[in-house]
Amino acid sequence: MQKLLPYLYIAPAFVVTIVFSFVSMGISLWASFYHYDAFAGAAAFAGLDNYRRALFADDSYFWLSLRNTAFYVAMSVVGVLVTALPLALLCQRAERFQALFRTLYFLPSITPGVVLALVFYHLFGVWGQLLDNAWTALPALAILGIWSGAGYNMVIFLAGLTEIPRHFYEAAEIDGANRWQQFRHVTIPLLRNTLVFVSVMTIIGSFQVFTSVYIMTQGGPERSTEVIAYTIFVNAFAIAGQMGYASALAWLLFAVVFVFVFIQMRVFQSRRIYDE
Amino acid sequence: MTRSILSTLALCLLSVVLLRAGLTRALVDDLLANEQKRPVTLRVWDWWSPSANEEYGQYFAEIERRFEEQNPDIDVVYQIVPFGNYVQKLSTAMVGNAPPDVFQSSVYWAEGFYQRGMLRPLNDLLEQNRHAPPELQVTEERFLPSAWRHNHGEDGTVFGIPQIIDAQCLIWNLDILQEAAQTDREIRALFAHHPDGRIDYARLRFDAVRDWDHFRRLTQKLTVRDESGQIEQAGFVINAYGGGAGMFSPWLAANGGRYQDAAGTRAHFASPEGVEAMRFMAQLYWEDGVCPPFRRQISDTELFQEGRVASMVAGTWSGKDLMRNTLGWDHFGKTAFPPGPSGSGEQKTMTWGNMLVITERCTNVDAAWRYVQFVCSLEGNLIRSQTLGYNGPRRDFYDTEQWQRAIAERPYLSNVKEICLAGDKLRHTEIIAVNHQANPVIETLLLRFPEIQAGRGPYAGIEEALRVAERNVNGVFDRYNEQVARWRQRGGSN
């Protein structure tokens, strides 16, 4: 009984995960091979038709939305790294009110995305009509993504920074390293695992960007902000009988994200740096 | 100690909030009322939300009160579902085997719902209804022809009864027009006359705008610029971001074109008439300069309500919203769209009639049908007119004293019946999917017209852009019709 106890503890979470994640994913994989309609149920076996259409049809927006998503991901990852890390460094140095700063920067992360999107929708209208132009709309959405994600990632970086043993900095100081050299040769290498974690999570999150697009631009202007999650949504819920096609798009997105993350994990393989 | 008190308080507060959130109005009514339970509960869905406009609340309360008075065995329970989530929610309800008995269906979805086998055919019920008193009859001959278009299949199967009639129209700011009319005879000629010959500055003639050239001239005259050339008051407004695509259909109809065929198998908007209509819209903005700059965040309606534009495209239903948003201002008038160079010479627009439908899985068809008959009867039409300021889809509605009184009190309604009658059938096949294919192209044409004209844009010209959009829309139609054939094979459709 004693041996079974841990399994009993994790059983509820396990069941929930299986039913609401893996079973749902299984159904969507199955649906991707059918002309599936949410109202009428599966109609006819489609084989690879849905995938073929997504990849090769003239009126498919898969590649366009993938390109837009990739730009968004690139801007978001860079943006999050260059804002969250400096914020964490500054916060770490703050001798007073550190908890207050941490809370303030974290606030956007707990604010509902719809609220943020509505606020920024009007702000971007005031600030040079960024959403009105096909060249600036996607960067504007990325700015919102970075702003709302920076605080959360700052907290992760802060945890990573506090884990770096103090004596590395002391040794570097004795060797005459200045602040920049300490950052370059101590902080960055020892923060490697956190950097990998933050960038992987940001990539995954950014690939799934939806709320801001849905609220602020609906994919426009001129399809410049049509990202893949939005395309999936439109096909799944707004167009009759396209649930199978939308499922195929979702699995293609999964494949792309998987490849990205896999490569990243291989390149920046996690390891225990301090033992080296 | 303090911590435990605070925790207890927080817990109590949370419990109160959760309890209040969990108590629906029906449950609260049940708990508080001493009324006897009615044996039949009728679940009705609608998107007219009292949270958006309190008049909808008054409307539903009045309908419920009068209907339940006449039908003591039925308890009507309303569920308000936002328009944007209607299809998703309905999908979930159908899959979860808990669909409403009756719901208001937009013409956006009605045909698709019917083809999926979700709606109950009403022909047998209509046959019985022929013997009802005239004001309770809801058969075809009781409705304006333009209202009875979207509610039946090609084989004559009726799946909905129109409860409203809507049309797109041009709305004019009569304050601006009246001022301009003092010095301009052409603008003065837009107004109707009193029986004694005086100009009636509260009403426009239905055929006030003769053609597109006339419209361009009028909007140019009504556009006022400041010393630096910036538009202070625009003659017309186009919102390129989404809204602009919406006005393409009525301008196309006014130019003798069609968006799609009746069967929903082919798109027809990349025609010479369509190219002409698209060019006309772009010219208004780029060449005539009669529109304010394209701005995503500022809607046409906001500009109109602020008196910054003289005319805009809206719906025949929008009068009450304008009045509400401007705290009672009603000095505006409505016309249909003037004919284009390839048009028939008559005023045109697009008309549709959203309808009440009964779901295929409705368990109490008798109660549902009684409700549909009541809401779509003359009495129901009059309640909507009284509480919401809507005109009705029924012929006899326009003969009532109440309608004449409504026109006298709100003269902007005076052309509404003619506008609704002048409309072609609004496109009806897979509208959302079609919008997804065509609207971004129209948006691009509006935003980048000068580049496209100069051969530097993403399309070689308007013709090519519309051809691309039409090809993609045909793809939507092809896929949809294949899907319908599969539904039919499975016995889904009737």
Side-chain angles (χ1 to χ4, degrees):
Chain A
M1 184 60 195
Q2 199 63 28
K3 278 186 180 173
L4 280 177
L5 212 54
Y7 295 104
L8 279 176
Y9 285 140
I10 63 164
F14 182 72
V15 170
V16 168
T17 309
I18 290 289
V19 172
F20 291 104
S21 293
F22 290 97
V23 172
S24 315
M25 284 167 68
I27 291 171
S28 95
L29 181 63
W30 170 81
S32 73
F33 297 108
Y34 281 84
H35 294 293
Y36 185 77
D37 179 64
F39 289 98
F45 183 66
L48 292 173
D49 273 3
N50 289 325
Y51 291 92
R52 205 175 294 127
R53 187 181 140 204
L55 295 171
F56 305 115
D58 283 341
D59 61 351
S60 163
Y61 296 106
F62 173 73
W63 294 110
L64 176 110
S65 55
L66 188 66
R67 189 198 67 189
N68 289 343
T69 312
F71 281 135
Y72 180 87
V73 170
M75 286 186 280
S76 296
V77 172
V78 174
V80 162
L81 292 181
V82 301
T83 52
L85 185 54
L87 277 177
L89 288 167
L90 286 172
C91 217
Q92 191 196 25
R93 288 185 177 276
E95 289 173 5
R96 301 173 68 184
F97 305 120
Q98 200 200 74
L100 176 70
F101 289 131
R102 226 167 34 210
T103 310
L104 284 177
Y105 288 126
F106 195 72
L107 271 179
S109 309
I110 56 168
T111 309
V114 174
V115 176
L116 292 180
L118 284 171
V119 170
F120 272 77
Y121 177 75
H122 291 287
L123 281 179
F124 285 141
V126 178
W127 298 338
Q129 296 148 41
L130 293 179
L131 298 174
D132 293 1
N133 186 305
W135 291 102
T136 55
L138 195 64
L141 295 181
I143 288 171
L144 168 58
I146 293 162
W147 185 81
S148 61
Y152 172 80
N153 289 301
M154 182 205 76
V155 173
I156 308 275
F157 277 127
L158 208 50
L161 287 171
T162 35
E163 269 195 5
I164 299 176
R166 191 69 222 144
H167 60 257
F168 283 101
Y169 290 103
E170 289 164 4
E173 249 181 75
I174 291 165
D175 288 345
N178 60 24
R179 282 272 170 81
W180 167 249
Q181 286 166 326
Q182 285 179 34
F183 175 73
R184 169 75 185 80
H185 298 291
V186 178
T187 306
I188 292 290
L190 298 188
L191 210 55
R192 182 193 177 105
N193 288 348
T194 312
L195 276 167
V196 171
F197 175 77
V198 166
S199 49
V200 166
M201 295 313 286
T202 309
I203 285 175
I204 293 172
S206 305
F207 263 111
Q208 296 170 359
V209 60
F210 172 74
T211 310
S212 52
V213 174
Y214 182 67
I215 301 286
M216 296 162 80
T217 63
Q218 304 265 306
E222 302 173 60
R223 294 197 193 280
S224 61
T225 62
E226 179 148 344
V227 291
I228 192 113
Y230 181 74
T231 309
I232 292 170
F233 172 83
V234 169
N235 280 284
F237 298 111
I239 303 178
Q242 299 303 311
M243 187 61 92
Y245 176 61
S247 300
L249 287 173
W251 279 94
L252 288 171
L253 171 65
F254 172 80
V256 171
V257 176
F258 183 83
V259 168
F260 256 86
V261 173
F262 183 76
I263 292 170
Q264 199 176 18
M265 297 296 273
R266 297 286 294 185
V267 172
F268 302 103
Q269 219 164 22
S270 182
R271 57 192 179 212
R272 282 193 58 80
I273 297 158
Y274 311 141
D275 297 341
E276 288 177 350
Chain B
M1 182 63 184
T2 316
R3 181 172 283 194
S4 69
I5 291 172
L6 282 175
S7 306
T8 314
L9 272 176
L11 197 65
C12 288
L13 190 64
L14 186 68
S15 308
V16 169
V17 170
L18 290 177
L19 196 64
R20 180 63 194 89
L23 290 177
T24 60
R25 195 192 133 204
L27 191 56
V28 173
D29 288 350
D30 279 355
L31 287 172
L32 301 179
N34 296 320
E35 269 181 44
Q36 222 172 2
K37 268 220 168 280
R38 292 160 184 261
V40 179
T41 301
L42 192 71
R43 291 205 308 138
V44 179
W45 277 24
D46 212 304
W47 67 83
W48 289 351
S49 171
S51 64
N53 185 339
E54 64 282 357
E55 286 166 359
Y56 287 134
Q58 291 161 15
Y59 165 70
F60 286 124
E62 187 61 13
I63 287 279
E64 185 178 2
R65 187 181 67 76
R66 291 215 216 165
F67 178 71
E68 288 185 352
E69 256 174 30
Q70 295 170 26
N71 298 273
D73 56 326
I74 301 175
D75 180 22
V76 180
V77 176
Y78 289 106
Q79 286 179 277
I80 306 300
V81 179
F83 188 86
N85 304 113
Y86 218 77
V87 177
Q88 291 99 298
K89 298 270 185 196
L90 204 59
S91 170
T92 313
M94 294 296 282
V95 172
N97 207 18
D101 298 298
V102 176
F103 64 94
Q104 180 177 196
S105 178
S106 163
V107 295
Y108 267 39
W109 327 301
E111 183 182 85
F113 286 159
Y114 162 67
Q115 284 168 331
R116 285 159 160 157
M118 286 169 54
L119 307 183
R120 187 193 188 285
L122 304 176
N123 297 56
D124 56 332
L125 301 167
L126 280 167
E127 204 46 51
Q128 295 167 21
N129 177 263
R130 287 189 185 284
H131 311 296
E135 66 275 12
L136 288 177
Q137 283 179 14
V138 289
T139 45
E140 181 175 358
E141 54 278 12
R142 295 287 156 199
F143 290 87
L144 297 177
S146 48
W148 197 274
R149 278 177 183 162
H150 289 89
N151 63 334
H152 55 277
E154 285 194 302
D155 60 355
T157 307
V158 177
F159 47 80
I161 306 295
Q163 74 159 355
I164 57 160
I165 185 165
D166 284 331
Q168 283 175 300
C169 62
L170 292 167
I171 300 199
W172 300 83
N173 181 324
L174 298 188
D175 287 340
I176 293 175
L177 260 62
Q178 186 173 349
E179 194 186 328
Q182 305 309 313
T183 52
D184 191 301
R185 181 189 286 183
E186 192 171 35
I187 292 176
R188 204 157 50 236
L190 299 175
F191 288 96
H193 287 79
H194 290 291
D196 61 7
R198 283 179 301 119
I199 295 175
D200 184 351
Y201 284 113
R203 292 164 211 260
L204 291 173
R205 289 188 298 113
F206 170 68
D207 57 353
V209 190
R210 286 191 303 277
D211 52 34
W212 287 5
D213 284 340
H214 188 205
F215 181 78
R216 289 179 76 172
R217 220 167 37 247
L218 289 170
T219 51
Q220 280 166 357
K221 285 180 176 178
L222 293 166
T223 301
V224 179
R225 295 174 184 278
D226 64 14
E227 287 166 359
S228 64
Q230 297 291 310
I231 293 179
E232 272 183 348
Q233 174 191 291
F236 185 57
V237 57
I238 299 174
N239 189 336
Y241 306 100
M247 71 171 71
F248 174 61
S249 287
W251 284 119
L252 173 66
N255 199 33
R258 282 182 303 155
Y259 202 98
Q260 65 164 91
D261 64 349
T265 56
R266 277 286 163 270
H268 291 305
F269 57 81
S271 55
E273 294 84 12
V275 173
E276 231 168 4
M278 196 63 239
R279 181 167 287 121
F280 170 69
M281 285 166 61
Q283 280 172 338
L284 285 170
Y285 183 90
W286 289 101
E287 291 177 9
D288 298 353
V290 297
C291 305
F294 293 139
R295 291 286 301 275
R296 180 183 289 279
Q297 283 88 350
I298 301 176
S299 70
D300 302 357
T301 311
E302 283 167 328
L303 290 167
F304 186 80
Q305 286 167 180
E306 290 168 12
R308 288 159 63 189
V309 298
S311 65
M312 68 165 180
V313 172
T316 46
W317 72 89
S318 56
K320 73 173 178 59
D321 294 328
L322 287 172
M323 278 184 72
R324 184 172 179 272
N325 295 344
T326 54
L327 303 176
W329 175 69
D330 65 353
H331 200 210
F332 49 87
K334 299 175 184 180
T335 64
F337 291 76
S342 306
S344 63
E346 291 177 353
Q347 314 283 320
K348 278 284 179 186
T349 186
M350 310 305 301
T351 310
W352 63 97
N354 292 335
M355 62 202 84
L356 281 188
V357 296
I358 299 177
T359 48
E360 184 60 62
R361 294 189 203 172
C362 172
T363 48
N364 198 326
V365 174
D366 172 58
W369 180 240
R370 274 190 273 163
Y371 180 81
V372 171
Q373 284 179 107
F374 175 75
V375 174
C376 300
S377 69
L378 180 61
E379 188 178 355
N381 276 241
L382 292 174
I383 293 173
R384 275 187 295 288
S385 169
Q386 196 175 15
T387 53
L388 303 173
Y390 284 164
N391 58 310
R394 292 180 67 94
R395 291 174 195 266
D396 49 7
F397 170 80
Y398 295 93
D399 301 330
T400 60
E401 199 182 302
Q402 193 172 325
W403 172 243
Q404 297 308 322
R405 215 169 37 240
I407 292 179
E409 286 167 8
R410 285 164 285 162
Y412 66 78
L413 290 169
S414 53
N415 288 335
V416 158
K417 183 185 175 190
E418 285 78 5
I419 294 170
C420 290
L421 285 170
D424 285 351
K425 183 179 180 181
L426 181 78
R427 62 205 171 94
H428 46 97
T429 308
E430 278 296 276
I431 293 178
I432 298 171
V434 167
N435 284 349
H436 188 238
Q437 293 291 347
N439 287 9
V441 176
I442 295 174
E443 186 179 80
T444 304
L445 285 172
L446 286 172
L447 289 171
R448 301 170 73 172
F449 179 69
E451 285 172 68
I452 292 169
Q453 286 288 86
R456 288 181 280 108
Y459 301 105
I462 294 178
E463 294 85 348
E464 195 218 39
L466 290 184
R467 262 201 308 274
V468 169
E470 189 178 87
R471 182 199 66 196
N472 292 351
V473 169
N474 282 332
V476 170
F477 289 161
D478 290 344
R479 275 192 297 276
Y480 181 68
N481 287 313
E482 283 168 21
Q483 186 74 42
V484 171
R486 282 193 288 269
W487 288 330
R488 285 205 174 117
Q489 270 179 358
R490 294 177 71 239
S493 188
N494 302 283

